[in-house]
Amino acid sequence: MLQKFISMFSSPSASPARIASPKKSIPLNPAFEYSPELQQHLYGRLLLPEEIPFKVLDDHVENGYVSSTPGLTKDEGRYYCTRCGNKEPSMFYKFPCSRCGKSCAYCRACIMMGRVSECTILYSWCGPKFCFDIPANVLVWEGTLSEGQKAASERVTSAIHTNEELLFWAVCGAGKTEVLFKGIEAALLSGKRLCIATPRTDVVLELAPRLKKAFPLIEVSALYGGSEDRHRPAPLTVSTTHQLFRFKEAFDAIIIDEVDAFPYSMDTSLQFAVNKAKKETSATILLTATPSKKMKIAYANRKLQAVTIPARFHRHPIPIPTMHWCGNWKKQLENKNIPPIIAEWVETRLKSKTPILLFFPSIKVMEQALPLFQQLNRGLLAVHSQDAKRKEKVTSLREGRIPGLLTTTILERGVTIPKLDVAVIGSEHGVFSESALVQIAGRVGRSAKHPTGTVTFFHYGKSNDMVQAIRHIQGMNEEARNRGLLDV
Amino acid sequence: MFKIKKCLICNEEVESVFSWKDIWVSSDNEKICSDCRGKLAFLSGERCKMCSRELEEKYQQDGLCLDCVRWENDSEWRGFLSANISLFHYNDFLKETIAKFKYRGDYALAEAFASFVAEKIEHMSHDIIVPIPLSNERMAERGFNQAKALAETAGLKTYDALLRTHTEKQSKKSREERIRLAQVFKVTGPDTIKGKKILLIDDIYTTGSTLRHAAKILKQSGAEEIYSLTLAR
C-alpha cells in the first residue's frame, strides 16, 4: 500500500474518508435495459434526488444500477455528512421536517449545494463503466519545456501511471501547468479520467481555457459554484475542491493545485473531498510553491515522494526580499500619515512608472490607508476578497491604466503583472506567514522580458516568518544554481 | 461558559466581550456577529402608516405610500389589512440571507432573526399568529414553511388558519397580475378565528398582495382585525 499523505495533513485523529454503506446492496440485473443518459448524468457522482431529473431513477436502483446512501449518519451521538464529511456539531441543525415529519438534522456546511438531512438519500451510479473517446492526437501544445520542467514532467507522468502520491514543489513562475500537459496526455491515452482541483474559483477560471486550448478535441469541464457544465461527464475536469463533494469514486488521478492555498484551515474537508472523488486505486499529485511544514517534514523523512523545480523557466533567480523598519505603521496610518520611508518607496515607483502592489494585513488598515495613498496618486485603487471588480482592477494594472493597487493577501497568488514591484506594509503581522510572503515575493520578475524587480518588507520589528521566507527563497535559488538551472 | 459561538449567518466565531455580568447571567443573545448585524438595515425614519415602507417626500399622501393609497382606494381591498410592520430593508445582504434560508433550506437562519421577531411581536397586540402557508407542492420541495419557521424560532405558537390552494410563484408576476389573481387561500377553521385579532407572518412584503389576499379571506370569515409582520420590506 502506498503511503497516503492526504490523510496525514489533517488532524491526526481524523479517520480516512468514510462513506456510509448503501442501504441495500442489489445485484446487477443483466437483463435490465439501462438509460445511457442517466449513466452519463450519475457516473462518478453522488447526487441529491433533486439533482437527478430522471423518472427512471427508482427502476435503476431496483435493478442494481444505482446505489443509494443515507445523506447523514450518526456515530456515537455525532452526526456525519456523507456528502461533505462535516462532523462539527455546531454545523448541524435540527428542524421540523415536513418530508419525514420528524425533527430532522441537516448539514449546514454544504447547504449551498442543497440540503442534506437525515431523511435525504444520495444516489450514485454502480452499473457499467462509462468510457470516453480519446483521439490519439489529444494534446496539441507545441511549446518546449526547460530542463527543470522536463525532469518534473517525466516524474509526474510516471506517478500518474503507477498511482503514486507525489508532491510537486515548484517555485512561483516555474511553469507548473505546462509540466502537467505530458502527464495528462499519457493518462488520457491510457483511458484514465483526471481532475485538477483547486480551492479557488479564480484558478479554475484561469486554468480551464488554457487546458481547453491544449486539449481541444476532448471535453474539458470547468466546475465552480454557479458554473454551467455541471452534469456533463468529461475525461478532464477542472474543479474547485468544493464541487468535488458531488463526486464519488470518479477519478484515476487528482492533481491538487495550490494545495496550501486555503483561505481558512479546511484541511479535513479537502482531504475528505479528494478521497471521496478519486477511485480506490488512483494517483494524487500535490502541487504547490509553498508546501506546509507537515509536507516538508514528510518529504524530508521520505514518507512523501517529491519532485522539485527550484528555478523559473526563464533561468533567472527569484528576487530576494529586503527588510526595512518603518516604525509604528498602524499608529501612523491611524494619524493619517504614511510612514515616510514607504511614501518615498511609492513615489520613486510612481515617477519611474513601475507598476506596484502594496499588501496590507487587513481590509480595515487598507481602507484607512487608501485615501492617504490617493493623495500621492489618484489612480491608486484597493482590492479585497469581497470586491466584485477585483478582476477588472487587476487587468487595469496589468494594462498600465492605473499605477498600482493596494491589496489584502487575496492577490498573493495567481497574479502576473510584468515589471511589477511589491511592498508589504506591516509584514510582521500574523497574516503574513512564511508561505504568504514567499507567494507575495513570487509576484515579481515573472516574465522573461523583465525577470527582475524589488520586494520590500516594511515592518515594525522583524518576524520569524519574514526571516524564514527570505531563507526559503535563498534556498530555492541556491538549489537551482547547484542544479545548473540558472544563467546568472 | 467559554463555549465558542459561531455567527448563524456568516459562521465566523462571535466575539463576545466577557464581563463580570456573564458569570451570573448567561447571555444567549449573540446569534449573529456584529458585522452581520451591521449589514441588516432596520427600517427607520418616516414610514408608511400602512405598510412600513420608508417614505419619500414626493411619493406619499397623508402618511401613506402611493401603493397603499391605491389599495385603500380600491373598494375590493379597502380595510382588510389594518397595518403591516416590517423589520428590515430588503437590501442585498438580506436578499442573499433570505434566499439561503428559504431556497437552500437553511432553517437555522430563522433563529438569527428570532430575537428581532420576538421583540417586535411583544409590542403588537394579537390573539392568534397565523403564518402565510405554502402550497403542498412547494412544501414538499422545501421541507418547511419559512414564515412558520420565523415564528417558531421566536418561541411563538402559531395556528394554521389558512391553506394555500394556488401556486405561489409570485416573483414572476406583475403587480396587476398578483392583485387580479383569484383568491389563493382557504380558511381551515372559521370558528377559531371568529372575532379574533390576527397577526399574519411572512418573510417578505413585496407588493402586499399575498398579505391582503390572506387578510381579506380571514376577515370575510369572521376575524376581527388583521395585522401583519414581515422580516423584509
Side-chain angles (χ1 to χ4, degrees):
Chain A
M1 261 316 266
L2 287 158
Q3 182 74 41
K4 285 290 163 202
F5 185 73
I6 275 284
S7 58
M8 288 173 49
F9 66 86
S10 71
S11 62
S13 60
S15 55
R18 182 193 57 164
I19 295 171
S21 51
K23 271 202 296 200
K24 45 199 168 164
S25 174
I26 301 166
L28 199 81
N29 171 13
F32 178 73
E33 207 172 298
Y34 68 85
S35 150
E37 290 83 21
L38 181 60
Q39 179 200 30
Q40 280 195 28
H41 190 84
L42 258 188
Y43 181 67
R45 302 262 118 159
L46 186 65
L47 299 179
L48 290 168
E50 298 91 287
E51 295 170 318
I52 313 168
F54 290 85
K55 282 189 185 140
V56 292
L57 180 65
D58 289 342
D59 296 343
H60 284 72
V61 175
E62 276 157 34
N63 287 285
Y65 285 72
V66 170
S67 69
S68 60
T69 311
L72 285 196
T73 58
K74 207 172 176 181
D75 190 18
E76 288 171 16
R78 282 182 88 177
Y79 288 108
Y80 179 85
C81 174
T82 309
R83 182 171 63 184
C84 78
N86 168 34
K87 50 183 171 182
E88 164 61 41
S90 72
M91 290 305 279
F92 291 95
Y93 195 92
K94 277 193 170 184
F95 77 110
C97 175
S98 75
R99 288 187 197 164
C100 64
K102 292 179 195 153
S103 177
C104 190
Y106 71 93
C107 174
R108 294 198 69 210
C110 59
I111 187 77
M112 289 310 280
M113 308 176 93
R115 188 175 57 224
V116 173
S117 73
E118 278 179 285
C119 67
T120 302
I121 289 173
L122 294 167
Y123 294 95
S124 181
W125 183 260
C126 59
K129 201 181 150 188
F130 181 82
C131 290
F132 299 101
D133 278 332
I134 305 296
N137 53 342
V138 62
L139 175 67
V140 301
W141 183 71
E142 280 177 348
T144 50
L145 295 177
S146 73
E147 210 176 306
Q149 283 177 308
K150 209 179 261 168
S153 173
E154 278 158 22
R155 187 67 190 83
V156 168
T157 307
S158 82
I160 293 177
H161 260 304
T162 52
N163 298 315
E164 275 177 85
E165 188 153 53
L166 180 76
L167 169 65
F168 175 13
W169 179 1
V171 295
C172 305
K176 287 188 280 276
T177 311
E178 289 73 21
V179 166
L180 298 174
F181 285 167
K182 284 280 173 196
I184 293 172
E185 179 192 27
L188 289 172
L189 289 174
S190 64
K192 293 190 178 210
R193 187 178 185 193
L194 290 102
C195 175
I196 301 179
T198 164
R200 298 194 178 206
T201 301
D202 291 4
V203 180
V204 174
L205 294 173
E206 197 250 347
L207 271 181
R210 283 166 74 186
L211 289 163
K212 279 178 184 169
K213 215 172 148 190
F215 300 95
L217 299 174
I218 58 160
E219 180 104 36
V220 178
S221 109
L223 303 179
Y224 50 91
S227 62
E228 271 171 27
D229 38 347
R230 200 172 286 171
H231 291 301
R232 270 190 286 174
L236 181 56
T237 299
V238 197
S239 170
T240 58
T241 33
H242 202 73
Q243 293 298 321
L244 287 184
F245 289 142
R246 288 201 174 102
F247 287 89
K248 186 186 165 190
E249 290 162 27
F251 302 109
D252 299 285
I254 292 194
I255 299 161
I256 309 166
D257 196 9
E258 311 258 9
V259 69
D260 61 309
F262 283 79
Y264 15 75
S265 63
M266 266 180 54
D267 288 359
T268 334
S269 157
L270 159 76
Q271 165 212 341
F272 177 87
V274 169
N275 273 343
K276 195 179 77 171
K278 67 185 187 181
K279 291 182 182 166
E280 214 176 307
T281 309
S282 54
T284 310
I285 312 290
L286 309 163
L287 206 60
T288 178
T290 47
S292 66
K293 215 167 239 164
K294 267 185 180 168
M295 276 188 224
K296 281 196 246 177
I297 292 169
Y299 170 46
N301 296 338
R302 303 192 177 188
K303 282 185 177 155
L304 177 66
Q305 297 290 311
V307 59
T308 61
I309 307 182
R312 290 181 161 166
F313 70 96
H314 58 48
R315 301 180 65 87
H316 286 262
I318 301 165
I320 309 282
T322 51
M323 298 189 271
H324 286 288
W325 190 85
C326 66
N328 191 340
W329 47 271
K330 203 173 164 198
K331 203 160 236 162
Q332 293 181 67
L333 291 174
E334 275 166 16
N335 294 336
K336 305 203 185 311
N337 290 316
I338 303 175
I341 187 171
I342 298 175
E344 196 192 312
W345 187 95
V346 172
E347 280 177 327
T348 311
R349 280 148 187 93
L350 289 173
K351 249 179 234 153
S352 65
K353 297 213 182 322
T354 307
I356 52 174
L357 276 182
L358 301 172
F359 284 87
F360 286 83
S362 70
I363 297 182
K364 209 173 138 193
V365 176
M366 180 174 77
E367 279 172 353
Q368 250 169 16
L370 181 64
L372 309 176
F373 281 92
Q374 283 177 333
Q375 284 170 12
L376 300 177
N377 185 308
R378 262 197 258 157
L380 290 168
L381 298 175
V383 285
H384 54 81
S385 56
Q386 268 112 55
D387 192 339
K389 288 191 180 150
R390 198 161 92 213
K391 263 190 143 171
E392 284 110 297
K393 288 180 182 173
V394 173
T395 311
S396 299
L397 179 61
R398 189 176 297 127
E399 292 172 357
R401 276 177 278 134
I402 55 171
L405 279 175
L406 282 68
T407 175
T408 58
T409 53
I410 188 73
L411 292 187
E412 74 176 41
R413 290 157 196 268
V415 178
T416 299
I417 291 153
K419 283 174 72 181
L420 188 74
D421 274 357
V422 161
V424 182
I425 286 136
S427 56
E428 79 278 14
H429 191 283
V431 302
F432 295 118
S433 60
E434 176 194 331
S435 65
L437 291 170
V438 169
Q439 291 282 357
I440 287 170
R443 298 308 103 214
V444 173
R446 293 172 73 92
S447 71
K449 242 176 153 181
H450 308 279
T452 58
T454 58
V455 184
T456 312
F457 295 166
F458 290 108
H459 63 90
Y460 183 44
K462 280 179 209 171
S463 71
N464 260 335
D465 285 278
M466 288 162 58
V467 177
Q468 292 295 340
I470 292 176
R471 279 201 198 135
H472 182 138
I473 297 169
Q474 285 169 334
M476 282 308 214
N477 283 343
E478 201 179 301
E479 189 188 329
R481 201 160 278 133
N482 291 342
R483 279 170 54 179
L485 299 173
L486 296 183
D487 288 334
V488 278
Chain B
M1 199 191 296
F2 294 107
K3 217 178 118 188
I4 297 166
K5 283 180 191 150
K6 282 184 178 171
C7 171
L8 276 171
I9 298 179
C10 69
N11 293 327
E12 293 292 319
E13 279 168 23
V14 177
E15 280 177 51
S16 52
V17 182
F18 183 78
S19 73
W20 288 108
K21 205 177 119 199
D22 297 336
I23 295 180
W24 315 109
V25 196
S26 103
S27 55
D28 215 26
N29 292 330
E30 288 129 359
K31 301 277 187 204
I32 60 174
C33 67
S34 51
D35 276 4
C36 288
R37 191 180 292 253
K39 289 178 193 164
L40 290 172
F42 286 89
L43 291 170
S44 61
E46 200 196 343
R47 285 186 278 158
C48 173
K49 285 188 287 193
M50 184 90 220
C51 75
S52 267
R53 171 189 271 180
E54 289 178 344
L55 286 178
E56 286 169 59
E57 195 81 37
K58 270 199 270 174
Y59 304 104
Q60 60 164 303
Q61 206 175 302
D62 306 324
L64 290 187
C65 73
L66 298 187
D67 265 350
C68 285
V69 171
R70 240 160 110 195
W71 281 111
E72 293 306 308
N73 281 343
D74 187 337
S75 57
E76 277 228 21
W77 295 100
R78 187 179 305 143
F80 291 121
L81 183 66
S82 298
N84 169 70
I85 303 288
S86 299
L87 287 165
F88 307 107
H89 178 55
Y90 195 36
N91 60 9
D92 288 346
F93 176 71
L94 192 54
K95 254 178 213 166
E96 214 175 281
T97 309
I98 289 181
K100 189 175 176 195
F101 167 47
K102 72 181 195 189
Y103 300 123
R104 307 284 174 173
D106 197 0
Y107 187 96
L109 288 172
E111 211 183 291
F113 300 108
S115 64
F116 302 112
V117 171
E119 201 191 311
K120 202 49 130 190
I121 287 187
E122 215 175 287
H123 303 293
M124 297 173 79
S125 75
H126 60 270
D127 299 319
I128 304 172
I129 297 176
V130 175
I132 293 294
L134 298 180
S135 67
N136 290 338
E137 183 197 0
R138 200 69 63 231
M139 190 69 171
E141 206 176 278
R142 295 198 190 147
F144 65 85
N145 173 351
Q146 72 272 10
K148 201 172 180 178
L150 287 170
E152 277 169 348
T153 49
L156 303 164
K157 274 221 173 79
T158 61
Y159 174 66
D160 293 323
L162 296 169
L163 209 73
R164 194 164 202 142
T165 50
H166 274 72
T167 159
E168 54 269 85
K169 286 246 163 110
Q170 290 270 4
S171 39
K172 287 186 185 114
K173 297 192 185 91
S174 71
R175 183 178 185 276
E176 289 311 314
E177 283 176 302
R178 287 189 197 198
I179 295 168
R180 254 191 263 115
L181 209 67
Q183 184 53 265
V184 292
F185 298 112
K186 233 166 75 183
V187 171
T188 54
D191 296 344
T192 321
I193 59 158
K194 202 145 278 170
K196 293 284 166 45
K197 211 174 205 182
I198 290 181
L199 178 60
L200 290 166
I201 290 217
D202 206 359
D203 52 347
I204 313 164
Y205 182 113
T206 312
T207 62
S209 146
T210 305
L211 288 164
R212 280 187 169 82
H213 270 103
K216 185 175 185 180
I217 199 163
L218 284 168
K219 207 151 188 187
Q220 285 173 339
S221 307
E224 170 78 21
E225 215 173 359
I226 323 287
Y227 289 87
S228 65
L229 176 81
T230 73
L231 209 53
R233 173 69 178 95

